[in-house]
Structure formats: structure tokens, C-alpha cells
Amino acid sequence: MYEKIYDRKAVLDYARRWALGRNSQYYDFDAIGGDCTSFVSQCIYAGADVMNYTQVTGWYYRSSYDRTASWSGVEFLYDFLVGNRGAGPYGRAVRQSDAEPGDVVQLGMREKKYYHHSLIILKIEPVITVAAHSADALDMPLSSYRYDYARFLHIDGVRKNGLL
């Protein structure tokens, strides 16, 4: 296994291209719970270009029926990114001040007792702006969202199977 660069420019290009639309290569999960984390996964994939095909605990999408929960589930994506020791993107929870464009922010509400929304960070300065699906958004200030807590996930890199 070897490391490859997480291409943040490709993430941002993809996010800007598809934030207000749908890529027909991917199922639109809006009608069955929301498309936010699938959109974030698509963005991450644009910058990683590597999926992890491990059943159950991996991170991949072949179709709406052949995918892992981490592709489209908020908590499952978090668990994959911070716990991934195999192929694909990996990261860690960081303070807001350590987040970068191309990273992920997940939002939660006290009454729900879990994180429920995933967004891609587009800019940090002068304010954090994001792109998202479910409530489609492009260059939306993070401060415009209603949430009680946020966690920021920094993508550290990507592991790829094979030799250099």
C-alpha cells in the first residue's frame, strides 16, 4: 500500500460543479433520508480517486444497492474516515481552526443526539463557506446553518493498493 495526495482542487471543482445539481452516476438519496453525505463522499472521491471495497466497513459506491453505509451515512462516514487503516481516504477530527478547504464538517443538534448533516468546506477565510446537498448549497456561510455542535474532519491523505 502506498500514499497518494488528496487532491483538494479536484474536491472543490467537483463540489462547485455538482452542489446545485445531481451527477447521474450516483443515486439521489434525498427521497430516502437525504443526499448530503453521498454528495460529500462524491467530493472526497473526486480528490482521492480510491475506494475501499471492504464489505461493511469500507467506503465505496457501485450503485444505490451496492455501496457501504459509510458512503451515505453521516456517522458511518465519520467512523470510516477516522478509523480507516486500509485503502482510500483517511483523516481525523480537528479543531475548526485546523480545517482546510476540501475537508468535511458535520453538524448536530442536541435534541437529535447525533450528527445529522455533512458538508464540504469550500473556503475558510474570511468566513467558512460550504457546499451541500439535501438543502442544496454553494458558497453558503457555515454560520447560516442552525446547529448546536459541529465536528471538522481533516482528510490527511489517501492510501492506494499496489506498488509505486
Side-chain angles (χ1 to χ4, degrees):
M1 198 149 325
Y2 66 93
E3 296 279 327
K4 84 185 252 332
I5 300 289
Y6 180 62
D7 185 346
R8 292 178 183 278
K9 181 182 180 318
V11 173
L12 301 178
D13 289 347
Y14 187 94
R16 291 188 179 287
R17 167 70 179 92
W18 293 106
L20 303 178
R22 299 295 185 271
N23 182 337
S24 63
Q25 291 182 288
Y26 299 99
Y27 182 77
D28 179 356
F29 291 94
D30 273 336
I32 57 171
D35 198 53
C36 65
T37 303
S38 176
F39 173 67
V40 165
S41 285
Q42 293 168 43
C43 294
I44 293 170
Y45 181 63
D49 198 32
V50 177
M51 291 185 186
N52 181 317
Y53 291 98
T54 305
Q55 293 290 323
V56 182
T57 61
W59 175 78
Y60 67 87
Y61 178 97
R62 291 184 183 118
S63 72
S64 62
Y65 297 101
D66 188 6
R67 64 181 165 81
T68 52
S70 59
W71 187 268
S72 56
V74 176
E75 294 289 344
F76 295 105
L77 178 62
Y78 173 84
D79 290 343
F80 173 77
L81 289 172
V82 301
N84 183 24
R85 303 291 178 258
Y90 62 93
R92 60 196 154 88
V94 297
R95 294 183 312 255
Q96 178 177 327
S97 59
D98 294 325
E100 298 179 39
D103 284 342
V104 178
V105 58
Q106 295 182 320
L107 306 178
M109 299 294 288
R110 271 188 211 88
E111 65 267 12
K112 291 188 178 184
K113 297 186 173 120
Y114 59 89
Y115 290 87
H116 65 277
H117 195 40
S118 298
L119 311 97
I120 282 287
I121 297 172
L122 297 177
K123 286 189 334 188
I124 298 294
E125 297 292 334
V127 298
I128 294 176
T129 62
V130 296
H133 273 187
S134 294
D136 293 2
L138 177 62
D139 290 315
M140 184 72 69
L142 182 60
S143 61
S144 68
Y145 285 84
R146 187 174 155 259
Y147 60 94
D148 292 320
Y149 39 86
R151 65 181 170 203
F152 295 84
L153 299 170
H154 178 72
I155 309 299
D156 288 315
V158 180
R159 292 186 199 92
K160 185 170 177 129
N161 289 324
L163 302 173
L164 288 174

CSV table of all heavy atoms in Angstrom, one decimal, residues 78-128:
chain,number,residue,atom,x,y,z
A,78,TYR,N,-18.0,9.3,9.2
A,78,TYR,CA,-17.0,9.7,10.2
A,78,TYR,C,-16.2,8.5,10.7
A,78,TYR,O,-15.0,8.5,10.7
A,78,TYR,CB,-17.8,10.3,11.4
A,78,TYR,CG,-16.9,10.6,12.6
A,78,TYR,CD1,-16.2,11.8,12.6
A,78,TYR,CD2,-16.8,9.7,13.6
A,78,TYR,CE1,-15.3,12.0,13.7
A,78,TYR,CE2,-15.9,9.9,14.7
A,78,TYR,CZ,-15.2,11.1,14.7
A,78,TYR,OH,-14.4,11.3,15.8
A,79,ASP,N,-16.9,7.4,11.0
A,79,ASP,CA,-16.2,6.2,11.5
A,79,ASP,C,-15.2,5.7,10.5
A,79,ASP,O,-14.1,5.3,10.9
A,79,ASP,CB,-17.2,5.1,11.8
A,79,ASP,CG,-18.1,5.4,13.1
A,79,ASP,OD1,-17.7,6.3,13.9
A,79,ASP,OD2,-19.1,4.7,13.2
A,80,PHE,N,-15.6,5.7,9.2
A,80,PHE,CA,-14.7,5.2,8.2
A,80,PHE,C,-13.4,6.1,8.1
A,80,PHE,O,-12.3,5.6,8.2
A,80,PHE,CB,-15.3,5.1,6.8
A,80,PHE,CG,-14.3,4.8,5.7
A,80,PHE,CD1,-13.8,3.5,5.6
A,80,PHE,CD2,-13.8,5.8,4.9
A,80,PHE,CE1,-12.8,3.3,4.6
A,80,PHE,CE2,-12.8,5.6,4.0
A,80,PHE,CZ,-12.3,4.3,3.8
A,81,LEU,N,-13.6,7.4,8.0
A,81,LEU,CA,-12.5,8.3,7.8
A,81,LEU,C,-11.5,8.3,9.0
A,81,LEU,O,-10.3,8.3,8.8
A,81,LEU,CB,-13.0,9.7,7.5
A,81,LEU,CG,-13.7,10.0,6.2
A,81,LEU,CD1,-14.3,11.4,6.1
A,81,LEU,CD2,-12.7,9.8,5.0
A,82,VAL,N,-12.0,8.3,10.2
A,82,VAL,CA,-11.1,8.3,11.3
A,82,VAL,C,-10.6,7.0,11.7
A,82,VAL,O,-9.5,6.9,12.4
A,82,VAL,CB,-11.7,9.0,12.6
A,82,VAL,CG1,-12.2,10.4,12.3
A,82,VAL,CG2,-12.9,8.2,13.1
A,83,GLY,N,-11.2,5.9,11.2
A,83,GLY,CA,-10.7,4.6,11.5
A,83,GLY,C,-10.1,3.8,10.4
A,83,GLY,O,-9.5,2.7,10.6
A,84,ASN,N,-10.1,4.4,9.2
A,84,ASN,CA,-9.5,3.7,8.0
A,84,ASN,C,-8.0,3.4,8.1
A,84,ASN,O,-7.2,4.4,8.3
A,84,ASN,CB,-9.8,4.5,6.8
A,84,ASN,CG,-9.4,3.7,5.5
A,84,ASN,OD1,-9.2,2.5,5.5
A,84,ASN,ND2,-9.1,4.5,4.5
A,85,ARG,N,-7.7,2.2,8.1
A,85,ARG,CA,-6.2,1.8,8.1
A,85,ARG,C,-5.9,1.1,6.7
A,85,ARG,O,-4.8,0.7,6.5
A,85,ARG,CB,-5.9,0.8,9.2
A,85,ARG,CG,-6.2,1.4,10.6
A,85,ARG,CD,-5.3,2.5,11.0
A,85,ARG,NE,-5.6,3.0,12.3
A,85,ARG,CZ,-6.3,4.2,12.5
A,85,ARG,NH1,-6.7,4.9,11.5
A,85,ARG,NH2,-6.6,4.6,13.7
A,86,GLY,N,-6.9,1.0,5.8
A,86,GLY,CA,-6.7,0.4,4.5
A,86,GLY,C,-6.7,1.4,3.4
A,86,GLY,O,-6.3,2.6,3.6
A,87,ALA,N,-7.1,0.9,2.2
A,87,ALA,CA,-7.2,1.8,1.0
A,87,ALA,C,-8.2,2.9,1.2
A,87,ALA,O,-9.2,2.7,1.9
A,87,ALA,CB,-7.5,0.9,-0.2
A,88,GLY,N,-8.0,4.0,0.5
A,88,GLY,CA,-8.9,5.1,0.5
A,88,GLY,C,-8.5,6.2,1.3
A,88,GLY,O,-7.4,6.2,1.9
A,89,PRO,N,-9.4,7.2,1.4
A,89,PRO,CA,-9.1,8.4,2.2
A,89,PRO,C,-9.1,8.1,3.7
A,89,PRO,O,-9.8,7.2,4.1
A,89,PRO,CB,-10.2,9.4,1.8
A,89,PRO,CG,-11.3,8.5,1.4
A,89,PRO,CD,-10.7,7.3,0.8
A,90,TYR,N,-8.4,8.9,4.4
A,90,TYR,CA,-8.4,8.7,5.9
A,90,TYR,C,-8.1,10.1,6.5
A,90,TYR,O,-7.6,11.0,5.8
A,90,TYR,CB,-7.3,7.8,6.4
A,90,TYR,CG,-5.9,8.2,6.1
A,90,TYR,CD1,-5.2,8.9,7.0
A,90,TYR,CD2,-5.3,7.9,4.9
A,90,TYR,CE1,-3.9,9.3,6.7
A,90,TYR,CE2,-4.0,8.2,4.6
A,90,TYR,CZ,-3.3,9.0,5.5
A,90,TYR,OH,-2.0,9.4,5.2
A,91,GLY,N,-8.6,10.3,7.7
A,91,GLY,CA,-8.5,11.6,8.3
A,91,GLY,C,-8.7,11.6,9.8
A,91,GLY,O,-8.6,10.5,10.4
A,92,ARG,N,-8.9,12.7,10.4
A,92,ARG,CA,-9.1,12.8,11.8
A,92,ARG,C,-9.9,14.0,12.2
A,92,ARG,O,-10.0,15.0,11.4
A,92,ARG,CB,-7.7,13.0,12.5
A,92,ARG,CG,-6.9,14.2,12.1
A,92,ARG,CD,-5.4,14.1,12.4
A,92,ARG,NE,-4.6,14.9,11.5
A,92,ARG,CZ,-4.4,16.2,11.7
A,92,ARG,NH1,-4.8,16.8,12.7
A,92,ARG,NH2,-3.7,16.8,10.8
A,93,ALA,N,-10.5,14.0,13.3
A,93,ALA,CA,-11.3,15.1,13.8
A,93,ALA,C,-10.3,16.2,14.2
A,93,ALA,O,-9.3,15.9,14.9
A,93,ALA,CB,-12.2,14.7,15.0
A,94,VAL,N,-10.5,17.5,13.9
A,94,VAL,CA,-9.7,18.6,14.2
A,94,VAL,C,-10.5,19.7,14.7
A,94,VAL,O,-11.7,19.8,14.6
A,94,VAL,CB,-8.8,19.0,13.0
A,94,VAL,CG1,-7.9,17.9,12.5
A,94,VAL,CG2,-9.7,19.5,11.8
A,95,ARG,N,-9.8,20.7,15.3
A,95,ARG,CA,-10.5,22.0,15.7
A,95,ARG,C,-10.8,22.7,14.4
A,95,ARG,O,-10.2,22.5,13.3
A,95,ARG,CB,-9.5,22.8,16.5
A,95,ARG,CG,-9.2,22.2,17.9
A,95,ARG,CD,-8.3,23.2,18.6
A,95,ARG,NE,-7.2,23.7,17.8
A,95,ARG,CZ,-5.9,23.3,18.0
A,95,ARG,NH1,-5.6,22.5,18.9
A,95,ARG,NH2,-5.0,23.9,17.2
A,96,GLN,N,-11.8,23.6,14.5
A,96,GLN,CA,-12.2,24.4,13.4
A,96,GLN,C,-11.1,25.1,12.8
A,96,GLN,O,-10.9,25.2,11.5
A,96,GLN,CB,-13.3,25.4,13.8
A,96,GLN,CG,-13.8,26.3,12.7
A,96,GLN,CD,-14.9,27.2,13.2
A,96,GLN,OE1,-15.7,26.8,14.0
A,96,GLN,NE2,-14.9,28.4,12.6
A,97,SER,N,-10.2,25.6,13.6
A,97,SER,CA,-9.0,26.4,13.1
A,97,SER,C,-8.0,25.6,12.3
A,97,SER,O,-7.2,26.1,11.6
A,97,SER,CB,-8.3,27.1,14.3
A,97,SER,OG,-7.8,26.1,15.2
A,98,ASP,N,-8.1,24.2,12.4
A,98,ASP,CA,-7.2,23.4,11.6
A,98,ASP,C,-7.8,22.8,10.4
A,98,ASP,O,-7.2,22.0,9.6
A,98,ASP,CB,-6.7,22.2,12.5
A,98,ASP,CG,-5.9,22.7,13.7
A,98,ASP,OD1,-5.1,23.7,13.4
A,98,ASP,OD2,-5.9,22.2,14.8
A,99,ALA,N,-9.1,23.1,10.1
A,99,ALA,CA,-9.8,22.6,8.9
A,99,ALA,C,-9.3,23.4,7.7
A,99,ALA,O,-8.9,24.5,7.8
A,99,ALA,CB,-11.3,22.8,9.0
A,100,GLU,N,-9.4,22.7,6.5
A,100,GLU,CA,-9.0,23.3,5.2
A,100,GLU,C,-10.0,23.1,4.2
A,100,GLU,O,-10.9,22.3,4.3
A,100,GLU,CB,-7.7,22.6,4.7
A,100,GLU,CG,-6.5,22.7,5.6
A,100,GLU,CD,-5.3,22.0,5.0
A,100,GLU,OE1,-5.2,22.0,3.7
A,100,GLU,OE2,-4.6,21.3,5.7
A,101,PRO,N,-10.0,23.9,3.1
A,101,PRO,CA,-10.9,23.7,2.0
A,101,PRO,C,-10.7,22.2,1.5
A,101,PRO,O,-9.6,21.7,1.4
A,101,PRO,CB,-10.5,24.7,0.9
A,101,PRO,CG,-9.9,25.8,1.8
A,101,PRO,CD,-9.2,25.2,2.9
A,102,GLY,N,-11.8,21.5,1.3
A,102,GLY,CA,-11.8,20.1,0.9
A,102,GLY,C,-12.0,19.2,2.0
A,102,GLY,O,-12.1,18.0,1.8
A,103,ASP,N,-12.0,19.7,3.2
A,103,ASP,CA,-12.3,18.9,4.4
A,103,ASP,C,-13.9,18.9,4.6
A,103,ASP,O,-14.6,19.5,3.9
A,103,ASP,CB,-11.7,19.5,5.7
A,103,ASP,CG,-10.2,19.2,5.7
A,103,ASP,OD1,-9.7,18.3,5.0
A,103,ASP,OD2,-9.5,19.9,6.5
A,104,VAL,N,-14.3,18.1,5.6
A,104,VAL,CA,-15.7,17.9,5.9
A,104,VAL,C,-16.1,18.5,7.2
A,104,VAL,O,-15.3,18.5,8.2
A,104,VAL,CB,-16.0,16.4,6.0
A,104,VAL,CG1,-17.4,16.0,6.3
A,104,VAL,CG2,-15.5,15.7,4.7
A,105,VAL,N,-17.3,19.0,7.3
A,105,VAL,CA,-17.9,19.5,8.6
A,105,VAL,C,-19.2,18.7,8.7
A,105,VAL,O,-19.9,18.6,7.7
A,105,VAL,CB,-18.0,21.0,8.7
A,105,VAL,CG1,-18.9,21.6,7.6
A,105,VAL,CG2,-18.5,21.4,10.1
A,106,GLN,N,-19.4,18.2,9.9
A,106,GLN,CA,-20.7,17.5,10.2
A,106,GLN,C,-21.4,18.2,11.4
A,106,GLN,O,-20.7,18.6,12.3
A,106,GLN,CB,-20.4,16.0,10.6
A,106,GLN,CG,-19.9,15.3,9.4
A,106,GLN,CD,-19.7,13.8,9.6
A,106,GLN,OE1,-19.2,13.4,10.7
A,106,GLN,NE2,-20.0,13.0,8.7
A,107,LEU,N,-22.7,18.4,11.2
A,107,LEU,CA,-23.5,19.2,12.2
A,107,LEU,C,-24.4,18.3,13.0
A,107,LEU,O,-24.9,17.4,12.4
A,107,LEU,CB,-24.3,20.3,11.4
A,107,LEU,CG,-23.5,21.2,10.5
A,107,LEU,CD1,-24.4,22.2,9.8
A,107,LEU,CD2,-22.4,21.9,11.2
A,108,GLY,N,-24.7,18.8,14.2
A,108,GLY,CA,-25.6,18.0,15.0
A,108,GLY,C,-26.5,19.0,15.9
A,108,GLY,O,-26.1,20.2,16.0
A,109,MET,N,-27.6,18.4,16.4
A,109,MET,CA,-28.5,19.2,17.2
A,109,MET,C,-28.6,18.4,18.5
A,109,MET,O,-28.7,17.2,18.5
A,109,MET,CB,-29.9,19.3,16.6
A,109,MET,CG,-29.9,20.1,15.2
A,109,MET,SD,-29.4,21.8,15.4
A,109,MET,CE,-30.9,22.4,16.2
A,110,ARG,N,-28.7,19.1,19.6
A,110,ARG,CA,-28.9,18.5,20.9
A,110,ARG,C,-30.1,17.5,21.0
A,110,ARG,O,-30.0,16.4,21.5
A,110,ARG,CB,-29.1,19.5,22.0
A,110,ARG,CG,-27.8,20.0,22.6
A,110,ARG,CD,-28.0,20.9,23.8
A,110,ARG,NE,-26.9,21.8,23.9
A,110,ARG,CZ,-26.8,23.0,23.3
A,110,ARG,NH1,-27.8,23.4,22.6
A,110,ARG,NH2,-25.8,23.8,23.4
A,111,GLU,N,-31.2,18.0,20.4
A,111,GLU,CA,-32.4,17.1,20.5
A,111,GLU,C,-32.3,15.9,19.7
A,111,GLU,O,-33.0,14.9,20.0
A,111,GLU,CB,-33.7,17.9,20.2
A,111,GLU,CG,-33.8,18.4,18.8
A,111,GLU,CD,-33.3,19.8,18.5
A,111,GLU,OE1,-32.6,20.4,19.4
A,111,GLU,OE2,-33.5,20.3,17.4
A,112,LYS,N,-31.5,15.8,18.7
A,112,LYS,CA,-31.4,14.6,17.9
A,112,LYS,C,-30.3,13.7,18.5
A,112,LYS,O,-30.3,12.5,18.2
A,112,LYS,CB,-31.0,15.0,16.5
A,112,LYS,CG,-32.1,15.6,15.7
A,112,LYS,CD,-31.8,15.8,14.2
A,112,LYS,CE,-33.0,16.4,13.5
A,112,LYS,NZ,-32.8,16.5,12.1
A,113,LYS,N,-29.4,14.3,19.3
A,113,LYS,CA,-28.3,13.5,20.0
A,113,LYS,C,-27.4,12.8,19.0
A,113,LYS,O,-26.8,11.8,19.4
A,113,LYS,CB,-29.0,12.5,21.0
A,113,LYS,CG,-29.7,13.2,22.1
A,113,LYS,CD,-30.2,12.2,23.1
A,113,LYS,CE,-30.8,13.0,24.2
A,113,LYS,NZ,-32.2,12.7,24.5
A,114,TYR,N,-27.3,13.2,17.8
A,114,TYR,CA,-26.3,12.6,16.9
A,114,TYR,C,-26.1,13.7,15.8
A,114,TYR,O,-26.8,14.6,15.6
A,114,TYR,CB,-26.8,11.3,16.3
A,114,TYR,CG,-28.1,11.4,15.5
A,114,TYR,CD1,-28.1,11.7,14.2
A,114,TYR,CD2,-29.3,11.2,16.2
A,114,TYR,CE1,-29.3,11.8,13.5
A,114,TYR,CE2,-30.5,11.2,15.5
A,114,TYR,CZ,-30.5,11.6,14.1
A,114,TYR,OH,-31.7,11.6,13.4
A,115,TYR,N,-25.0,13.4,15.0
A,115,TYR,CA,-24.7,14.3,13.9
A,115,TYR,C,-25.6,13.9,12.7
A,115,TYR,O,-25.9,12.7,12.5
A,115,TYR,CB,-23.2,14.2,13.5
A,115,TYR,CG,-22.3,14.8,14.5
A,115,TYR,CD1,-21.9,14.1,15.6
A,115,TYR,CD2,-22.0,16.1,14.4
A,115,TYR,CE1,-21.1,14.7,16.6
A,115,TYR,CE2,-21.1,16.7,15.4
A,115,TYR,CZ,-20.7,16.0,16.4
A,115,TYR,OH,-19.9,16.6,17.4
A,116,HIS,N,-26.1,14.9,12.0
A,116,HIS,CA,-27.1,14.5,11.0
A,116,HIS,C,-26.9,15.2,9.6
A,116,HIS,O,-27.7,14.9,8.7
A,116,HIS,CB,-28.5,15.0,11.5
A,116,HIS,CG,-28.6,16.5,11.7
A,116,HIS,ND1,-28.2,17.1,12.8
A,116,HIS,CD2,-29.1,17.5,10.8
A,116,HIS,CE1,-28.4,18.4,12.7
A,116,HIS,NE2,-28.9,18.7,11.5
A,117,HIS,N,-25.8,16.0,9.5
A,117,HIS,CA,-25.6,16.7,8.2
A,117,HIS,C,-24.2,16.8,7.9
A,117,HIS,O,-23.4,17.1,8.8
A,117,HIS,CB,-26.3,18.1,8.3
A,117,HIS,CG,-26.5,18.7,6.9
A,117,HIS,ND1,-26.9,18.1,5.8
A,117,HIS,CD2,-26.3,20.0,6.6
A,117,HIS,CE1,-27.0,18.9,4.8
A,117,HIS,NE2,-26.6,20.1,5.2
A,118,SER,N,-23.8,16.4,6.7
A,118,SER,CA,-22.4,16.5,6.2
A,118,SER,C,-22.3,17.6,5.1
A,118,SER,O,-23.1,17.7,4.2
A,118,SER,CB,-21.9,15.2,5.6
A,118,SER,OG,-21.9,14.2,6.6
A,119,LEU,N,-21.2,18.4,5.2
A,119,LEU,CA,-20.9,19.4,4.2
A,119,LEU,C,-19.5,19.4,3.8
A,119,LEU,O,-18.6,19.0,4.6
A,119,LEU,CB,-21.3,20.8,4.8
A,119,LEU,CG,-22.7,20.9,5.5
A,119,LEU,CD1,-22.6,20.7,7.0
A,119,LEU,CD2,-23.3,22.2,5.2
A,120,ILE,N,-19.2,19.9,2.6
A,120,ILE,CA,-17.8,20.1,2.2
A,120,ILE,C,-17.4,21.6,2.4
A,120,ILE,O,-18.1,22.5,2.0
A,120,ILE,CB,-17.6,19.7,0.7
A,120,ILE,CG1,-17.6,18.2,0.5
A,120,ILE,CG2,-16.4,20.3,0.1
A,120,ILE,CD1,-16.3,17.5,1.0
A,121,ILE,N,-16.2,21.8,3.0
A,121,ILE,CA,-15.7,23.1,3.2
A,121,ILE,C,-15.1,23.6,1.9
A,121,ILE,O,-14.2,23.0,1.3
A,121,ILE,CB,-14.7,23.2,4.3
A,121,ILE,CG1,-15.3,22.7,5.6
A,121,ILE,CG2,-14.1,24.6,4.4
A,121,ILE,CD1,-14.4,22.5,6.8
A,122,LEU,N,-15.6,24.8,1.4
A,122,LEU,CA,-15.0,25.4,0.2
A,122,LEU,C,-14.0,26.5,0.5
A,122,LEU,O,-13.0,26.6,-0.2
A,122,LEU,CB,-16.2,26.1,-0.6
A,122,LEU,CG,-17.3,25.1,-1.1
A,122,LEU,CD1,-18.4,25.9,-1.8
A,122,LEU,CD2,-16.7,24.1,-2.0
A,123,LYS,N,-14.3,27.3,1.5
A,123,LYS,CA,-13.3,28.4,1.9
A,123,LYS,C,-13.3,28.5,3.4
A,123,LYS,O,-14.3,28.1,4.1
A,123,LYS,CB,-13.8,29.7,1.4
A,123,LYS,CG,-13.6,29.9,-0.1
A,123,LYS,CD,-13.8,31.3,-0.6
A,123,LYS,CE,-14.8,32.1,0.2
A,123,LYS,NZ,-15.2,33.4,-0.4
A,124,ILE,N,-12.2,29.0,3.9
A,124,ILE,CA,-12.0,29.2,5.4
A,124,ILE,C,-12.1,30.7,5.7
A,124,ILE,O,-12.7,31.1,6.7
A,124,ILE,CB,-10.7,28.6,5.9
A,124,ILE,CG1,-10.6,27.1,5.6
A,124,ILE,CG2,-10.4,29.0,7.3
A,124,ILE,CD1,-11.6,26.3,6.5
A,125,GLU,N,-11.5,31.5,4.9
A,125,GLU,CA,-11.4,32.9,5.1
A,125,GLU,C,-12.1,33.7,4.1
A,125,GLU,O,-12.1,33.3,2.9
A,125,GLU,CB,-9.9,33.4,5.1
A,125,GLU,CG,-9.0,32.8,6.1
A,125,GLU,CD,-9.3,33.2,7.5
A,125,GLU,OE1,-9.9,34.3,7.7
A,125,GLU,OE2,-9.1,32.5,8.5
A,126,PRO,N,-12.8,34.8,4.4
A,126,PRO,CA,-12.9,35.4,5.7
A,126,PRO,C,-13.9,34.7,6.6
A,126,PRO,O,-13.8,34.8,7.9
A,126,PRO,CB,-13.4,36.8,5.5
A,126,PRO,CG,-14.1,36.7,4.2
A,126,PRO,CD,-13.5,35.6,3.4
A,127,VAL,N,-14.8,33.9,6.1
A,127,VAL,CA,-15.7,33.0,6.8
A,127,VAL,C,-15.7,31.7,6.2
A,127,VAL,O,-15.4,31.5,5.0
A,127,VAL,CB,-17.1,33.6,6.9
A,127,VAL,CG1,-17.2,34.9,7.6
A,127,VAL,CG2,-17.8,33.7,5.6
A,128,ILE,N,-16.1,30.6,6.9
A,128,ILE,CA,-16.2,29.3,6.4
A,128,ILE,C,-17.4,29.3,5.5
A,128,ILE,O,-18.5,29.6,5.9
A,128,ILE,CB,-16.3,28.2,7.5
A,128,ILE,CG1,-15.0,28.2,8.2
A,128,ILE,CG2,-16.6,26.9,6.9
A,128,ILE,CD1,-15.0,27.2,9.4
